Amino acid sequence: MKLEAPLKQAYESDHLTASEAQRMAHLIAFAPVVFQVARLMRKFGIFSLLRESDSGLTMDEVAERVGISRYAAQVLLESSLTAGTVLLKDERFHLSKTGWFFLTDPMIEVNMSFNHDVNYLGLFSLEEALLNGKPEGLKVFGDWPTIYEGLSSLPDQVQKSWFGFDHFYSDNSFPQALEVVFAHSPKTLLDVGGNTGRWSLQCVYHSPDVQVTIMDLPQQIGLMESQTEHLPEVDRIHRYPADLLDTETSFPGPFDAIWMSQFLDCFSEEQVFSIVSRAANSMTRNTRLFVMETFWDRQRFETSAFCLTQTSVYFTAMANGNSKMYYSGDMMRIIEKAGLKIDKIHDNIGLGHSILECVKNEE
């Protein structure tokens, strides 16, 4: 595994003093507590109150304005003080820089909702998931082999946070991704794992000539239809229900372009190889396969790499038990083994995506 700057600089040696390292270890040990306190400080509006008060607020003023007991305010404020999200000066609490990000960074809001609503309870079963290779934490919601079969049946708030997380990262990449894909003017495009049809809609709005086919589980096709049936241009979006985990499921085609966005990270290496191999079998020499993923090692900022590798744990405990946010070299190796050649790599798409543009290897 090879790392490039800035990740090489961040991860090849220790940068903390002994006391800083000890504090980090304790912060990790109490991470579930710190997480829930920060979530409630935001939900109760305490972070907002502190930001709006130039002179800060006393503990009693926080309790009164929020409508909670002094005890509740004290527990939250003291925990937040030592966690670093608030400051205390002359008996008045103020918002710290870290607390400020909880109010202003939309990515933090999306990540917190995803972790609280989707992951929090199920992570208790992470050990079993790692040992068994199954999403043991998913049992808190239902008895499905993966989260994808149960997605349409999840509780409303869980669905909202799951799709909010998924769409937040993918939607920001769409404008640049459209330029990459339609540089080749495809007339037919297969959207593999098309989910609710957001990318397919972007395609038909972008190009008046393209015909798009969504290939996904029947449950997801049904969800897509219910959300898009009244939208313009939907008549150029076609359906191909399929279970891609069934190795006998072949790809329709041929198509000018095949699109897989935040899709292959939902599968193990063996499953990725099977899926890409079957895609390759459907391709002609003129077909291009576009794989868009958030590879943790190709990030511009170390914070992004951190968020992505932690997201891998969701796949382990909740999604399917055997996939992850991939190291780019592993994905490239699998794609090439499946008989394709990576023609171009487009980095810095949206919020840290990369697009692998692949063609058939005819050598």
Side-chain angles (χ1 to χ4, degrees), residues 76-289:
L76 292 173
L77 287 167
E78 289 177 350
S79 173
S80 299
L81 177 66
T82 56
T85 55
V86 304
L87 304 170
L88 178 62
K89 183 177 181 181
D90 299 328
E91 298 190 13
R92 304 185 75 83
F93 289 90
H94 304 261
L95 192 66
S96 73
K97 291 179 182 178
T98 301
W100 181 83
F101 277 106
F102 276 97
L103 291 175
T104 59
D105 188 340
M107 189 182 298
I108 289 178
E109 179 181 358
V110 168
N111 288 345
M112 287 199 79
S113 295
F114 179 68
N115 280 315
H116 177 67
D117 295 326
V118 179
N119 297 329
Y120 204 85
L121 296 177
L123 284 174
F124 192 81
S125 300
L126 175 61
E127 180 178 353
E128 291 84 353
L130 287 165
L131 294 175
N132 300 335
K134 297 179 181 180
E136 302 291 359
L138 185 57
K139 293 176 182 177
V140 300
F141 297 124
D143 188 21
W144 306 291
T146 74
I147 200 169
Y148 310 107
E149 286 91 343
L151 198 55
S152 60
S153 301
L154 291 173
D156 290 344
Q157 184 58 44
V158 178
Q159 276 195 44
K160 179 180 177 182
S161 293
W162 192 95
F163 281 112
F165 182 84
D166 183 70
H167 293 163
F168 179 83
Y169 289 97
S170 62
D171 288 6
N172 279 280
S173 67
F174 284 170
Q176 290 172 273
L178 286 167
E179 296 302 320
V180 170
V181 173
F182 283 89
H184 303 281
S185 303
K187 296 296 188 295
T188 58
L189 183 146
L190 181 65
D191 182 3
V192 184
N195 212 327
T196 55
R198 294 169 81 90
W199 167 256
S200 293
L201 284 168
Q202 292 292 318
C203 289
V204 295
Y205 294 157
H206 182 83
S207 169
D209 301 319
V210 72
Q211 297 284 331
V212 179
T213 298
I214 294 180
M215 184 179 188
D216 210 332
L217 290 167
Q219 303 96 308
Q220 295 302 100
I221 294 288
L223 194 61
M224 179 276 295
E225 290 175 336
S226 67
Q227 296 191 18
T228 62
E229 58 184 348
H230 301 301
L231 297 177
E233 309 294 347
V234 74
D235 60 315
R236 287 193 283 127
I237 299 178
H238 313 285
R239 292 84 166 155
Y240 191 87
D243 179 4
L244 284 156
L245 286 178
D246 183 351
T247 57
E248 298 301 314
T249 298
S250 59
F251 275 59
F255 288 84
D256 296 332
I258 301 175
W259 173 255
M260 299 180 183
S261 171
Q262 296 182 183
F263 174 71
L264 292 179
D265 56 37
C266 301
F267 303 97
S268 68
E269 287 198 12
E270 294 79 9
Q271 292 165 341
V272 170
F273 174 71
S274 172
I275 291 169
V276 175
S277 296
R278 282 176 277 148
N281 289 337
S282 75
M283 294 168 62
T284 70
R285 62 184 302 176
N286 296 318
T287 304
R288 288 185 175 263
L289 167 66

